[in-house]
mmCIF file of all heavy atoms in Angstrom:
data_model
loop_
_atom_site.group_PDB
_atom_site.id
_atom_site.type_symbol
_atom_site.label_atom_id
_atom_site.label_comp_id
_atom_site.label_asym_id
_atom_site.label_seq_id
_atom_site.Cartn_x
_atom_site.Cartn_y
_atom_site.Cartn_z
ATOM 1 N N ARG B 33 10.609 20.935 -10.630
ATOM 2 C CA ARG B 33 10.990 20.813 -9.205
ATOM 3 C C ARG B 33 11.312 19.358 -8.877
ATOM 4 O O ARG B 33 12.291 19.049 -8.203
ATOM 5 C CB ARG B 33 9.834 21.277 -8.314
ATOM 6 C CG ARG B 33 9.795 22.778 -8.094
ATOM 7 C CD ARG B 33 9.027 23.096 -6.828
ATOM 8 N NE ARG B 33 9.651 22.502 -5.662
ATOM 9 C CZ ARG B 33 9.008 22.180 -4.547
ATOM 10 N NH1 ARG B 33 7.708 22.383 -4.447
ATOM 11 N NH2 ARG B 33 9.643 21.648 -3.521
ATOM 12 N N ILE B 34 10.473 18.446 -9.349
ATOM 13 C CA ILE B 34 10.677 17.026 -9.034
ATOM 14 C C ILE B 34 11.926 16.509 -9.756
ATOM 15 O O ILE B 34 12.757 15.813 -9.169
ATOM 16 C CB ILE B 34 9.412 16.209 -9.394
ATOM 17 C CG1 ILE B 34 8.260 16.646 -8.481
ATOM 18 C CG2 ILE B 34 9.669 14.717 -9.257
ATOM 19 C CD1 ILE B 34 6.900 16.155 -8.906
ATOM 20 N N LEU B 35 12.098 16.910 -11.024
ATOM 21 C CA LEU B 35 13.264 16.436 -11.770
ATOM 22 C C LEU B 35 14.562 17.008 -11.186
ATOM 23 O O LEU B 35 15.580 16.311 -11.125
ATOM 24 C CB LEU B 35 13.124 16.787 -13.260
ATOM 25 C CG LEU B 35 12.004 16.001 -13.968
ATOM 26 C CD1 LEU B 35 11.735 16.586 -15.357
ATOM 27 C CD2 LEU B 35 12.353 14.511 -14.088
ATOM 28 N N ALA B 36 14.512 18.247 -10.709
ATOM 29 C CA ALA B 36 15.705 18.838 -10.088
ATOM 30 C C ALA B 36 16.067 18.063 -8.825
ATOM 31 O O ALA B 36 17.238 17.837 -8.508
ATOM 32 C CB ALA B 36 15.449 20.310 -9.756
ATOM 33 N N TRP B 37 15.044 17.626 -8.116
ATOM 34 C CA TRP B 37 15.252 16.876 -6.871
ATOM 35 C C TRP B 37 15.849 15.494 -7.157
ATOM 36 O O TRP B 37 16.749 15.035 -6.449
ATOM 37 C CB TRP B 37 13.888 16.792 -6.159
ATOM 38 C CG TRP B 37 13.834 16.016 -4.893
ATOM 39 C CD1 TRP B 37 14.469 16.288 -3.723
ATOM 40 C CD2 TRP B 37 13.048 14.840 -4.663
ATOM 41 N NE1 TRP B 37 14.127 15.363 -2.778
ATOM 42 C CE2 TRP B 37 13.264 14.467 -3.325
ATOM 43 C CE3 TRP B 37 12.180 14.073 -5.458
ATOM 44 C CZ2 TRP B 37 12.637 13.350 -2.758
ATOM 45 C CZ3 TRP B 37 11.566 12.979 -4.882
ATOM 46 C CH2 TRP B 37 11.800 12.625 -3.555
ATOM 47 N N VAL B 38 15.405 14.842 -8.228
ATOM 48 C CA VAL B 38 15.961 13.508 -8.517
ATOM 49 C C VAL B 38 17.354 13.591 -9.152
ATOM 50 O O VAL B 38 18.074 12.608 -9.189
ATOM 51 C CB VAL B 38 15.024 12.625 -9.400
ATOM 52 C CG1 VAL B 38 13.664 12.473 -8.770
ATOM 53 C CG2 VAL B 38 14.906 13.158 -10.811
ATOM 54 N N GLU B 39 17.745 14.797 -9.633
ATOM 55 C CA GLU B 39 19.082 14.972 -10.209
ATOM 56 C C GLU B 39 20.191 14.541 -9.253
ATOM 57 O O GLU B 39 21.291 14.220 -9.676
ATOM 58 C CB GLU B 39 19.340 16.443 -10.567
ATOM 59 C CG GLU B 39 18.498 16.987 -11.703
ATOM 60 C CD GLU B 39 18.986 16.565 -13.076
ATOM 61 O OE1 GLU B 39 20.161 16.790 -13.369
ATOM 62 O OE2 GLU B 39 18.184 15.994 -13.831
ATOM 63 N N GLN B 40 19.907 14.581 -7.935
ATOM 64 C CA GLN B 40 20.952 14.236 -6.960
ATOM 65 C C GLN B 40 21.500 12.825 -7.173
ATOM 66 O O GLN B 40 22.592 12.514 -6.709
ATOM 67 C CB GLN B 40 20.452 14.414 -5.531
ATOM 68 C CG GLN B 40 19.179 13.639 -5.219
ATOM 69 C CD GLN B 40 18.720 13.844 -3.780
ATOM 70 O OE1 GLN B 40 19.429 13.508 -2.844
ATOM 71 N NE2 GLN B 40 17.534 14.400 -3.622
ATOM 72 N N LEU B 41 20.766 11.987 -7.899
ATOM 73 C CA LEU B 41 21.279 10.638 -8.180
ATOM 74 C C LEU B 41 22.573 10.697 -8.987
ATOM 75 O O LEU B 41 23.391 9.783 -8.934
ATOM 76 C CB LEU B 41 20.241 9.813 -8.948
ATOM 77 C CG LEU B 41 18.908 9.527 -8.257
ATOM 78 C CD1 LEU B 41 18.079 8.567 -9.101
ATOM 79 C CD2 LEU B 41 19.126 8.933 -6.870
ATOM 80 N N ASN B 42 22.753 11.793 -9.746
ATOM 81 C CA ASN B 42 23.954 11.894 -10.581
ATOM 82 C C ASN B 42 25.231 12.018 -9.754
ATOM 83 O O ASN B 42 26.325 11.854 -10.280
ATOM 84 C CB ASN B 42 23.823 13.082 -11.543
ATOM 85 C CG ASN B 42 22.717 12.822 -12.550
ATOM 86 O OD1 ASN B 42 22.452 11.669 -12.900
ATOM 87 N ND2 ASN B 42 22.048 13.875 -12.998
ATOM 88 N N ALA B 43 25.083 12.293 -8.451
ATOM 89 C CA ALA B 43 26.256 12.374 -7.580
ATOM 90 C C ALA B 43 26.874 10.986 -7.340
ATOM 91 O O ALA B 43 28.004 10.880 -6.865
ATOM 92 C CB ALA B 43 25.871 13.011 -6.251
ATOM 93 N N VAL B 44 26.131 9.933 -7.662
ATOM 94 C CA VAL B 44 26.628 8.579 -7.407
ATOM 95 C C VAL B 44 27.220 8.003 -8.693
ATOM 96 O O VAL B 44 26.569 8.012 -9.741
ATOM 97 C CB VAL B 44 25.477 7.651 -6.930
ATOM 98 C CG1 VAL B 44 26.014 6.293 -6.510
ATOM 99 C CG2 VAL B 44 24.712 8.309 -5.805
ATOM 100 N N ASP B 45 28.443 7.526 -8.597
ATOM 101 C CA ASP B 45 29.069 6.876 -9.751
ATOM 102 C C ASP B 45 28.511 5.465 -9.879
ATOM 103 O O ASP B 45 28.735 4.608 -9.028
ATOM 104 C CB ASP B 45 30.588 6.840 -9.561
ATOM 105 C CG ASP B 45 31.284 6.121 -10.720
ATOM 106 O OD1 ASP B 45 30.595 5.789 -11.723
ATOM 107 O OD2 ASP B 45 32.496 5.876 -10.613
#
Side-chain angles (χ1 to χ4, degrees):
Chain B
R33 276 202 61 206
I34 294 168
L35 292 169
W37 177 64
V38 304
E39 292 282 306
Q40 55 180 299
L41 298 187
N42 293 330
V44 187
D45 178 8

